[in-house]
Amino acid sequence: MALCVSVAVDDIISRIDKPYDYVVPSRFADKIQAGMRAIVPFSRNNISKKALVLELFEKEDVSGLKELIDLFDSEVVVDYMRLKLVRLLKKRYFVTYYSALKTVVPRGVDFRIDEFYVPTVPLENISEPLCTLFEKKRGRVRKSDVPTKLRTVFDRCVFEGILQKDVYGSSGGQCEKRLFLNIPKGDVERVMTELGPHSEKQRDLMAVFLDSDEMSEKDALYYSGCGKSTVSTLLKKGIIGVKKTPVEHDPYKDIPRAYDSTPIKLTDAQLAVYSEILNDMGGVTHLIHGVTGSGKTLVYMSLIDKVLSRGKSVIFMVPEISLTPQTLARFYSRYGDSVAVIHSGLAPAARADEWRRVRRGDARVVVGTRSAVFSPAENLGMIIIDEEHEPSYKSESAPRYHARDIAGFISRSAGVPLVLGSATPSVESRYRAQTGAYKYHRLDTR
């Protein structure tokens, strides 16, 4: 029996969008899980494409199946709940599997496919112009790097197996180059003295590591006054190493943080609504119909306090027009760095950073607009949608989902309450409250 996977393939038309089966190479057998992303050969031309692993299964006869090329993720990116969301978006809103995935996972978490050609024989056995090109590119060449005059020779080498294609995925996020010592720190001064008389720049660059084992390449070059050629020289000598680390982005770093644990004082009417919701914390939808100024926000924050005290997370959604610095300041002042902000106006890298913080469990209060409903909140305890009647909760581009409907699906699937609030509830919500599908709560006093 061979381990196989069903995957959804990126960048294909709806007519052929369906799960495709591939054999899992033995090197990935202990790592691969549903919800990871991979690279697969697709179509007769074996074009390398991104894919989402939908499920794993075993099959005896795999003679007609191709092998998966590479596994990009080391851990699950789309958990069981969000795989269900991917299937829901495809079925209900008529988009492809991978388009649904791009809605659930922010663009900054995406990856790109890199294809390099590497020689299978010693470089000296390749024609001289190609050999020079491979030496210049450190043994790996993209097809786009090959000059037109060398294309014929290059294609022949590929056909004869002298050159082999190496395919893998690389992160599309913004990264920072960091330099680190590859030798014991106590040996730095000794190595500096052993360098030749014309190695002054190398000594200058090594000097910045006397106080630090690691720093960004940008800082190292600034403090040493050296250029990148000096970095390359020390890299070749093995004195320093280089690595890439994701750059953290925080567009709201100027908003003060605090952890205000002062109990919120509720009026009798607010306390009644708060208690009724706490007494029914299953996959139930509650509609708070409260006039403007009746204190719905105080009820929301009291509910958030209670959910957090139980070790769970909350998704709090507001219309786009309400996501102001003043609104965020209110949450930051009470929950500090436990707040993550997710909305479509963020740069892809910043949005990806917030998404990762939520996924790691570093942020347990997610504040955002409609796209925040897809946040991978760890141990979700409640979803709250303020001003639920606002039209901005409906996406104007494919998939044309309504955040309230997606939140309802998550609420029922995860068994957590969904709280809707408005001074003027939508017709749909008011009707569902009247028919008993929603629990109805009223706040009449300003």
Side-chain angles (χ1 to χ4, degrees):
M1 299 288 282
L3 181 63
C4 301
V5 288
S6 285
V7 305
V9 180
D10 183 25
D11 195 25
I12 59 176
I13 59 176
S14 298
R15 184 167 53 85
I16 58 172
D17 182 47
K18 62 179 182 179
Y20 289 89
D21 297 342
Y22 290 86
V23 178
V24 178
S26 57
R27 65 184 184 277
F28 299 133
D30 296 332
K31 305 174 186 176
I32 194 165
Q33 298 180 58
M36 290 182 172
R37 295 167 299 173
I39 300 174
V40 297
F42 190 74
S43 80
R44 292 179 182 177
N45 296 325
N46 289 327
I47 301 170
S48 300
K49 285 189 174 288
K50 293 181 282 188
L52 170 67
V53 178
L54 299 175
E55 61 177 326
L56 281 68
F57 63 95
E58 290 188 335
K59 189 173 182 179
E60 194 165 333
D61 181 15
V62 293
S63 56
L65 299 183
K66 299 175 184 178
E67 269 198 356
L68 180 146
I69 296 174
D70 194 17
L71 184 64
F72 178 72
D73 297 311
S74 58
E75 55 186 10
V76 171
V77 170
V78 187
D79 60 17
Y80 176 72
M81 167 64 69
R82 273 135 204 102
L83 274 177
K84 288 174 68 175
L85 277 176
V86 167
R87 292 187 173 97
L88 173 74
L89 291 171
K90 172 181 169 55
K91 182 178 180 181
R92 182 179 292 181
Y93 301 105
F94 306 103
V95 294
T96 64
Y97 277 114
Y98 220 88
S99 294
L101 173 67
K102 290 174 181 177
T103 303
V104 173
V105 177
R107 185 156 55 96
V109 184
D110 200 5
F111 71 101
R112 64 175 181 267
I113 296 176
D114 276 335
E115 294 184 344
F116 288 95
Y117 287 85
V118 294
T120 58
V121 298
L123 278 177
E124 55 267 21
N125 294 348
I126 303 176
S127 65
E128 187 175 339
L130 269 183
C131 179
T132 304
L133 178 63
F134 273 92
E135 287 175 345
K136 182 180 178 182
K137 296 293 182 178
R138 298 184 180 180
R140 297 191 311 167
V141 171
R142 288 188 175 94
K143 196 166 186 176
S144 58
D145 295 331
V146 182
T148 306
K149 61 183 179 180
L150 295 180
R151 282 291 173 90
T152 304
V153 179
F154 178 85
D155 291 339
R156 187 174 70 246
C157 289
V158 172
F159 179 76
E160 293 174 355
I162 296 173
L163 298 178
Q164 176 181 291
K165 185 162 68 172
D166 187 10
V167 181
Y168 62 93
S170 58
S171 174
Q174 187 178 349
C175 292
E176 176 186 61
K177 272 189 178 181
R178 296 191 67 80
L179 305 180
F180 58 90
L181 274 176
N182 238 354
I183 59 174
K185 195 170 182 179
D187 293 345
V188 173
E189 291 188 15
R190 177 183 59 80
V191 174
M192 288 173 64
T193 59
E194 291 175 355
L195 292 172
H198 303 293
S199 304
E200 198 60 41
K201 285 294 183 182
Q202 296 176 43
R203 276 190 281 271
D204 290 342
L205 182 56
M206 288 187 66
V208 301
F209 291 99
L210 289 171
D211 299 321
S212 177
D213 294 335
E214 178 184 316
M215 68 176 62
S216 69
E217 183 185 56
K218 182 179 178 181
D219 287 344
L221 296 179
Y222 174 79
Y223 290 118
S224 66
C226 299
K228 291 189 176 181
S229 60
T230 310
V231 173
S232 299
T233 302
L234 292 184
L235 285 172
K236 289 177 183 177
K237 291 182 176 181
I239 296 173
I240 62 172
V242 64
K243 64 182 180 180
K244 289 184 178 181
T245 57
V247 177
E248 294 274 331
H249 303 80
D250 186 1
Y252 302 107
K253 61 184 178 183
D254 295 331
I255 298 180
R257 264 80 160 160
Y259 286 92
D260 180 11
S261 57
T262 306
I264 296 173
K265 293 182 180 180
L266 300 177
T267 65
D268 291 342
Q270 293 166 350
L271 186 60
V273 173
Y274 168 78
S275 301
E276 288 171 11
I277 294 174
L278 283 186
N279 288 333
D280 201 347
M281 291 284 281
V284 178
T285 300
H286 299 268
L287 174 63
I288 302 177
H289 185 177
V291 298
T292 303
S294 60
K296 295 187 293 296
T297 303
L298 293 177
V299 177
Y300 298 152
M301 299 191 85
S302 297
L303 289 169
I304 292 172
D305 288 349
K306 177 59 73 172
V307 172
L308 293 180
S309 70
R310 295 175 177 176
K312 296 181 180 291
S313 301
V314 176
I315 296 175
F316 182 84
M317 298 165 61
V318 295
E320 291 176 2
I321 57 172
S322 300
L323 193 64
T324 62
Q326 290 78 13
T327 302
L328 294 177
R330 191 168 193 173
F331 281 89
Y332 278 124
S333 66
R334 188 163 186 85
Y335 306 114
D337 288 328
S338 290
V339 176
V341 181
I342 293 180
H343 60 89
S344 57
L346 289 176
R351 193 171 168 192
D353 285 345
E354 294 292 86
W355 185 88
R356 291 188 185 99
R357 288 183 61 230
V358 175
R359 189 165 167 269
R360 290 194 304 263
D362 295 344
R364 294 197 294 136
V365 180
V366 182
V367 181
T369 54
R370 64 172 178 262
S371 59
V373 76
F374 297 110
S375 304
E378 185 75 14
N379 197 14
L380 184 63
M382 181 178 287
I383 304 173
I384 301 173
I385 302 181
D386 190 28
E387 305 297 340
E388 62 87 26
H389 64 279
E390 282 288 337
S392 61
Y393 286 121
K394 173 73 182 295
S395 172
E396 296 300 323
S397 58
R400 289 178 169 81
Y401 67 90
H402 198 298
R404 184 183 58 225
D405 297 337
I406 300 298
F409 175 82
I410 296 173
S411 165
R412 294 187 297 273
S413 300
V416 300
L418 167 61
V419 178
L420 308 176
S422 177
T424 54
S426 63
V427 174
E428 302 96 319
S429 296
R430 192 69 181 89
Y431 174 77
R432 287 168 183 158
Q434 284 182 342
T435 57
Y438 291 175
K439 296 292 180 67
Y440 183 70
H441 311 277
R442 181 85 187 190
L443 288 172
D444 291 320
T445 309
R446 289 180 181 273

